[in-house]
């Protein structure tokens, strides 16, 4: 008669104080022994070809009944099947409970506590006699679970929590064990003992600490729930794929960059000037509502623009700063010099943004172009992608859609690699690409010439009052040209019929990038070369800041109109009139270039409008909700799925080199070469903005030897070109 196997884990009992909690080494030893137990048992069952059925007495071998026509598996296949999670989940849970029951028995024995009963046989994790397909396993598991609960009730609270926390069970099982092991009598007795030992003051202090801790957790959960991308990013990635998701991830990155730039500007520039407001130079106009579009009017007399900031020393009074220019500080003092603070704060904000941008780009490059083999990626996606911690139906549906979309993208990429292309097809593709690029470059040159011509017309035509609707003419013309050229590029991409959707997106990005950089170059020449000479008497810095504000507002309005008419109206026409089920696809290239264009305008205007990053943050938040709503209602997933594994790196690279580098060159030219206005701003008495640092160094040298290291630091870090070249080389590397 075959005897059932009885597997007993022999874990050596460590020596030491019985009151101490089990060490991580002991817990890992228990887990390793349990893992070996499951592996050995699975191998034995697989070799015998049994599903853990009890042996029939009197038989040395038992043949399982098999349906007619069923496939006979080999021993290796049976071994693999026996180790699958569906065959081991019941055994694992029962063995874990038995194993931790033995563990609690040893802990109670070490703590010199009396045992509740003799459970020598029932506590052993004997897996040989359990049939997973029958219901008596549930009874056996409940019995072992109740024994474990009884033993947990006899442990101290700290040891009990540590034991339950380290059990390799689900959260529901742990929660059930913790609730059942709670003893009302013992807990009440412990509370009475603690009530006698703890004084009223200490209880009040504990109550305050718990209240503050709960308040902090509520605030953190509220901030987490207030994020616009809390659930939307998973939903977008599951329904539309990684290509559309890359746009929203890039928008989230731009939000972080603007928030990081805004913090030093608020702390050291805007807040300080708001605390020490200058004397008004004239009557402040009333708010009419038109300022929200033009940026002029009453906004000019606020911390929004460059002209509001004073050129005085804010830590001590001045007699008449507008006539005398600079205040003379007391000998040996280091006052808060507003011109120097303005220059260094903007420079520090740009430097922090540069470091963060370069780090983000390098990190994204390492993630997307990671060296390694992608062999077996389809099998890994099928068997290893599901997250078993997901329990809600809504979250599981989102994860299911995400895995399905990911598999479609992987299969589409594999099919694209395997698809051959004839020589005639390649020649036709090259000819169409050449023709498309000629048309795109011609359209770009035409748009740049049109912007330059219209800007010259606007310079020659004076504006009445400086805050009329005619100030919106140039931003309107530029936005119309950008939108029309983007639709032209999209039509050319449709005629070219690219085999690879990735190549099609990259082509559209390159063409739109060339167009927008050419337009911004013409506008930079218009602002720093033509407008400075025309508006030297008034405050030309305020005009440039207002112009950049108007460009941001008009670009946002055109984005709303494009989402309304370009996506919503086209969907309604397609469904109602044309009787088609197809919806328009989300144009990734055009929308991403719109983000880069808006961020470039923000960086160009930081020197002339320190609060422009706040306007950009509000604009990006509204854009997130508008684009998400339009995407869910009016767009469909790409007809040709493709894996956007490198898109985030490409977007950050375009944001760094053409966009940020161009804005840095523009601002450096304005700081080092252009003469500031003589009637407004913190640099009104200087020839260039850069002279503020030189004047400050001379004042420190005259102040005494107490701050002699600051002029040396300024000479080494700012005036020395070797340090600037070294920092540039490190950032590029």
């Amino acid at each position: 008669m075959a005897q059932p196997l009885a597997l007993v884990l022999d874990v050596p009992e460590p020596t030491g104080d019985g009151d101490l909690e089990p060490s991580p080494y002991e817990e890992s030893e228990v887990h390793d022994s349990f893992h070996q137990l499951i592996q050995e048992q699975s191998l034995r069952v697989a070799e015998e070809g049994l599903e853990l059925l009890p042996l029939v007495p009197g038989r040395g071998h038992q043949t399982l009944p098999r349906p007619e026509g069923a496939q006979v598996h080999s021993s290796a296949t049976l071994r693999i099947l026996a180790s699958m999670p569906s065959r081991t989940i019941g055994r694992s849970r029962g063995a874990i409970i038995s194993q931790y029951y033995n563990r609690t028995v040893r802990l109670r024995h070490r703590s010199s506590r009396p045992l509740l009963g003799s459970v020598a046989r029932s506590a052993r994790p004997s897996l040989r006699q359990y049939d997973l397909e029958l219901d008596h396993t549930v009874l056996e598991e409940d019995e072992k679970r109740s024994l474990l609960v009884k033993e947990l009730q006899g442990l101290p609270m700290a040891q009990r929590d540590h034991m339950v926390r380290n059990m390799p069970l689900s959260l529901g099982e742990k929660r059930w064990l913790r609730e059942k092991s709670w003893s009302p009598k013992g807990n009440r007795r412990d509370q009475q003992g603690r009530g006698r030992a703890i004084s009223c003051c200490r209880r009040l202090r504990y109550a305050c600490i718990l209240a503050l801790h709960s308040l902090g957790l509520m605030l953190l959960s509220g901030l987490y729930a207030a994020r616009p991308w809390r659930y939307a990013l998973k939903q977008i990635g599951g329904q539309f794929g990684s290509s559309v998701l890359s746009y929203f991830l890039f928008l989230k990155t731009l939000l972080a960059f603007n928030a990081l730039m805004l913090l030093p500007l608020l702390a050291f520039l805007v807040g300080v000037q708001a605390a020490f407001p200058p004397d008004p130079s004239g009557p402040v106009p009333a708010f009419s509502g038109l300022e929200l579009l033009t940026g002029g009017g009453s906004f000019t007399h606020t911390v929004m623009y460059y002209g509001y900031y004073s050129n005085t020393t804010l830590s001590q009074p001045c007699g008449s700063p507008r006539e005398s220019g600079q205040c003379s500080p007391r000998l040996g003092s280091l006052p808060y010099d507003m011109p120097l603070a303005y220059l260094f704060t903007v420079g520090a904000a740009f430097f922090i943004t540069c470091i963060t941008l370069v780090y983000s780009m390098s990190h994204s490059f390492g993630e997307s172009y990671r060296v390694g083999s992608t062999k077996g990626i389809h099998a890994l996606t099928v068997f290893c992608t599901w997250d078993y911690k997901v329990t809600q139906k809504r979250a599981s549906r989102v994860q299911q859609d995400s895995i399905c979309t990911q598999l479609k993208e992987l299969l589409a990429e594999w099919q694209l690699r395997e698809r051959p292309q004839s020589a005639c097809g390649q020649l036709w593709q090259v000819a169409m690409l050449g023709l498309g690029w000629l048309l795109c470059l011609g359209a770009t040159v035409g748009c740049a010439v049109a912007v330059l011509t219209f800007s010259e017309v606007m310079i020659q035509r004076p504006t009445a009052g400086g805050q009329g609707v005619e100030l919106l003419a140039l931003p309107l013309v530029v936005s119309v040209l950008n939108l029309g050229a983007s639709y032209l590029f999209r039509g050319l991409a449709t005629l070219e019929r690219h085999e690879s959707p990735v190549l099609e997106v990259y082509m559209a990005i390159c063409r739109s990038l060339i167009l927008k950089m050419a337009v911004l170059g013409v506008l930079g020449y218009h602002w720093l070369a033509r407008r400075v000479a025309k508006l030297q008497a008034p405050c030309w810095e305020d005009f440039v800041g207002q112009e950049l504000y108007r460009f941001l507002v008009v670009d946002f309005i055109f984005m709303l109109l494009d989402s309304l008419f370009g996506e919503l109206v086209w969907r309604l026409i397609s469904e109602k009139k044309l009787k088609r089920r197809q919806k328009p696809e989300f144009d990734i290239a055009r929308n991403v270039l719109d983000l880069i264009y808006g961020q470039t305008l923000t960086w160009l205007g930081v020197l002339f409008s320190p609060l422009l990053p706040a306007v950009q943050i509000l604009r990006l938040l509204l854009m997130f909700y508008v684009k998400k709503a339009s995407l869910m209602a009016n767009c469909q997933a790409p007809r040709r799925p493709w894996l956007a594994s490198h898109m985030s790196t490409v977007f950050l690279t375009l944001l760094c080199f053409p966009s940020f580098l161009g804005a840095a060159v523009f601002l450096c030219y304005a700081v080092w070469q252009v003469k500031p206005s003589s009637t407004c701003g913190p640099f009104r008495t200087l020839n260039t903005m850069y002279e503020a640092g030189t004047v400050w160094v001379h004042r420190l040298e005259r102040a005494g030897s107490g701050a002699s290291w600051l002029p040396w630091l300024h000479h080494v870090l700012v005036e020395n070109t070797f340090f600037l070249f070294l920092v540039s080389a490190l950032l590029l590397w």
Side-chain angles (χ1 to χ4, degrees):
M1 180 177 179
Q3 297 292 333
L5 294 176
L7 303 177
V8 182
L9 293 179
D10 187 13
V11 181
E13 183 176 348
T15 60
D17 192 1
D19 295 333
L20 296 177
E21 295 184 358
S23 64
Y25 172 74
E26 299 173 12
E27 296 295 336
S28 62
E29 191 174 5
V30 171
H31 296 166
D32 294 340
S33 60
F34 164 72
H35 182 65
Q36 294 175 4
L37 166 69
I38 294 297
Q39 283 188 344
E40 294 175 0
Q41 185 67 9
S42 300
L43 289 176
R44 291 178 183 178
V45 171
E47 290 176 358
E48 295 177 7
L50 301 178
E51 290 292 333
L52 298 181
L53 293 173
L55 292 176
V56 178
R59 292 187 183 182
H61 181 72
Q62 182 178 359
T63 304
L64 294 175
R66 184 179 295 108
E68 295 183 1
Q71 184 179 0
V72 180
H73 299 288
S74 63
S75 61
T77 305
L78 291 174
R79 190 180 300 112
I80 295 175
L81 292 176
S83 62
M84 295 294 287
S86 60
R87 307 294 181 92
T88 59
I89 184 64
R91 290 178 287 162
S92 301
R93 186 167 57 248
I96 289 170
I97 295 174
S98 298
Q99 179 64 48
Y100 274 89
Y101 167 74
N102 296 334
R103 184 65 178 158
T104 55
V105 169
R106 284 195 294 271
L107 287 175
R108 285 171 52 82
H109 179 70
R110 286 166 52 188
S111 302
S112 301
R113 286 183 170 84
L115 295 175
L116 296 178
S118 176
V119 287
R121 290 288 299 173
S122 61
R124 296 176 182 176
S126 179
L127 307 178
R128 186 64 179 88
Q129 292 180 338
Y130 300 137
D131 181 10
L132 295 180
E133 305 297 329
L134 300 179
D135 293 336
H136 68 82
T137 56
V138 179
L139 300 177
E140 296 288 341
E141 188 175 324
D142 291 340
E143 180 183 358
K144 290 183 287 185
R145 189 185 287 110
S146 61
L147 291 174
L148 177 60
V149 168
K150 291 180 181 179
E151 291 298 331
L152 287 173
Q153 289 176 353
L155 293 177
M157 185 179 298
Q159 249 180 7
R160 184 198 315 161
D161 293 341
H162 180 78
M163 180 68 68
V164 175
R165 189 183 303 114
N166 291 330
M167 285 182 181
L169 297 173
S170 63
L171 292 178
E173 293 281 346
K174 292 182 180 181
R175 189 180 299 111
W176 186 89
L177 288 174
R178 185 176 290 108
E179 292 175 356
K180 293 298 181 181
S181 61
W182 180 76
S183 177
K185 295 182 179 180
N187 201 280
R188 193 182 304 113
R189 187 165 50 251
D190 293 341
Q191 288 180 356
Q192 293 175 0
R194 287 195 299 267
R196 290 192 298 267
I198 300 177
S199 62
C200 295
C201 296
R202 185 171 296 179
R203 278 187 290 180
L204 181 61
R205 189 183 69 176
Y206 288 160
C208 294
I209 292 175
L210 289 177
L212 291 176
H213 182 68
S214 301
L215 181 62
L217 291 179
M218 289 177 60
L219 291 176
L220 288 178
S221 62
L223 290 175
Y224 179 78
R227 295 185 304 174
W229 52 83
R230 182 172 62 97
Y231 176 75
L233 293 181
K234 294 181 180 180
Q235 187 179 8
I236 292 170
Q239 295 186 14
F240 298 92
S242 59
S243 57
V244 180
L245 179 63
S246 62
Y247 166 79
F248 290 91
L249 291 176
F250 185 60
L251 191 150
K252 174 185 170 184
T253 304
L254 292 183
L255 273 173
F257 285 154
N258 285 279
L260 189 63
M261 171 173 277
L262 184 62
L263 288 178
L265 295 173
L266 289 177
F268 301 103
L269 195 60
V270 178
V272 175
Q273 187 63 71
F276 298 92
D279 298 331
S281 58
V284 179
F287 180 77
S288 61
L290 192 61
E291 292 89 345
L292 296 176
L293 289 177
T294 62
S298 59
F299 283 178
T300 310
H301 301 272
T302 61
V303 292
M304 182 76 181
Y305 296 113
Y306 164 91
Y308 181 80
Y309 293 85
S310 62
N311 66 333
T312 60
T313 302
L314 300 181
S315 59
Q316 61 184 23
C318 258
S320 56
R322 297 192 180 275
E323 288 82 4
S324 58
Q326 297 281 344
C327 291
S328 57
R330 189 173 64 252
L331 187 62
S333 65
L334 291 176
Y336 197 86
D337 195 310
M338 198 60 198
L340 188 70
Y342 197 101
L343 182 64
F344 273 76
T345 303
V346 174
F350 256 81
F351 185 74
I352 293 173
T353 304
C354 180
I355 295 295
T356 309
L357 183 58
V358 170
Y359 173 77
S360 302
M361 187 175 60
S362 62
H363 180 72
S364 177
F365 185 87
E367 290 292 329
S368 59
Y369 293 91
R370 185 176 296 164
V371 179
S373 176
T374 58
K375 185 179 181 180
I377 185 64
H378 303 85
L380 291 176
T381 306
V382 172
F383 293 107
C384 303
T385 308
W386 186 262
D387 187 3
Y388 289 93
K389 298 189 294 295
V390 175
T391 57
Q392 297 181 357
K393 186 176 181 180
R394 182 184 181 188
S396 62
R397 173 62 63 181
V398 171
Q399 189 174 9
Q400 179 182 354
D401 295 339
S402 177
I403 295 174
C404 181
T405 307
Q406 187 177 358
L407 286 173
K408 290 180 181 178
E409 293 173 350
L410 290 173
L411 291 176
E413 186 181 15
W414 176 74
Q415 291 176 357
L416 186 63
R417 293 176 181 175
E418 298 295 329
R419 185 184 305 166
Q421 190 176 8
S422 62
C424 295
Q426 292 180 357
L427 290 176
W428 174 257
Q429 187 76 21
V430 171
M432 292 301 297
L433 279 177
L435 180 61
W437 272 105
L438 286 177
L439 292 176
C440 291
L441 292 178
T444 301
V445 173
C447 290
V449 172
V451 171
L452 180 61
T453 304
F454 192 80
S455 63
E456 292 292 333
V457 172
M458 293 298 296
I459 290 177
Q460 301 299 328
R461 180 183 178 183
T463 58
Q467 58 178 356
V469 184
E470 61 271 9
L471 292 174
L472 298 173
L474 182 60
L476 284 173
V477 169
V478 172
S479 298
V480 168
L481 291 176
N482 285 332
L483 186 62
S486 63
Y487 277 106
L488 174 63
F489 297 162
R490 190 173 182 178
L492 291 175
T494 304
L495 294 177
E496 290 171 352
R497 296 180 182 180
H498 295 279
E499 292 291 336
S500 172
V502 183
L503 180 61
E504 181 179 348
V505 172
Y506 284 163
M507 285 289 182
I509 288 176
C510 291
R511 292 167 179 175
S512 300
L513 181 68
I514 293 174
L515 170 68
K516 293 185 182 295
M517 291 300 110
V519 171
L520 287 176
V522 172
L523 290 175
Y525 168 77
H526 163 70
W527 289 325
L528 292 187
R530 302 292 296 164
R531 277 292 180 181
V532 171
K534 182 70 176 179
L535 299 174
Q536 190 62 45
C539 191
W540 67 267
E541 292 91 348
D542 281 357
F543 179 83
V544 174
Q546 294 171 13
E547 192 86 346
L548 288 163
Y549 174 85
R550 288 191 287 269
F551 270 88
L552 283 176
V553 172
V554 172
D555 183 71
F556 178 72
I557 293 174
F558 269 76
M559 184 272 299
L560 295 178
L561 294 177
D562 179 64
S563 299
L564 178 63
F565 293 101
E567 296 174 356
L568 176 60
V569 175
W570 173 249
R571 179 182 68 86
L572 294 177
I573 293 175
S574 178
E575 291 180 354
K576 303 299 181 182
K577 298 296 183 181
L578 303 179
K579 303 299 180 180
R580 297 177 181 175
R581 293 185 177 271
Q582 292 183 352
K583 298 180 180 180
E585 295 185 12
F586 188 78
D587 194 347
I588 302 172
R590 181 171 55 84
N591 286 281
V592 166
L593 264 297
D594 288 342
L595 290 180
I596 295 178
Y597 174 73
Q599 188 59 44
T600 307
L601 292 176
T602 304
W603 283 333
L604 292 175
V606 167
L607 183 64
F608 312 107
S609 179
L611 286 181
L612 210 57
V615 177
Q616 174 70 352
I617 290 176
L618 181 61
R619 179 175 173 267
L620 290 175
L621 288 175
L622 295 176
M623 190 180 297
F624 182 90
Y625 287 109
V626 171
K627 286 295 182 181
K628 175 182 174 295
S630 177
L631 176 71
M632 294 297 178
N634 305 321
C635 298
Q636 67 174 10
R639 298 182 183 89
R640 294 183 298 171
W642 53 282
L643 184 62
S645 57
H646 309 317
M647 294 299 290
S648 298
T649 306
V650 173
F651 295 162
L652 288 174
T653 304
L654 296 178
L655 184 67
C656 180
F657 288 109
S659 176
F660 183 82
L661 186 61
V665 171
F666 176 84
L667 294 182
C668 288
Y669 179 80
V671 169
W672 263 273
Q673 297 294 330
V674 182
K675 179 178 176 58
S677 298
S678 57
T679 58
C680 65
F683 310 104
R684 66 191 69 174
T685 59
L686 304 175
N687 292 324
T688 59
M689 298 181 185
Y690 175 73
E691 286 188 3
T694 307
V695 172
W696 176 69
V697 168
H698 293 332
R699 292 172 59 191
L700 287 180
E701 291 176 349
R702 294 195 302 267
S705 59
S708 59
W709 57 276
L710 288 176
W712 175 83
L713 189 66
H714 178 270
H715 175 73
V716 172
L717 298 182
V718 179
E719 296 183 356
N720 193 359
T721 57
F722 174 76
F723 178 77
L724 296 178
F725 280 113
L726 180 62
V727 171
S728 302
L730 289 176
L731 291 178
L732 289 176
W733 177 75

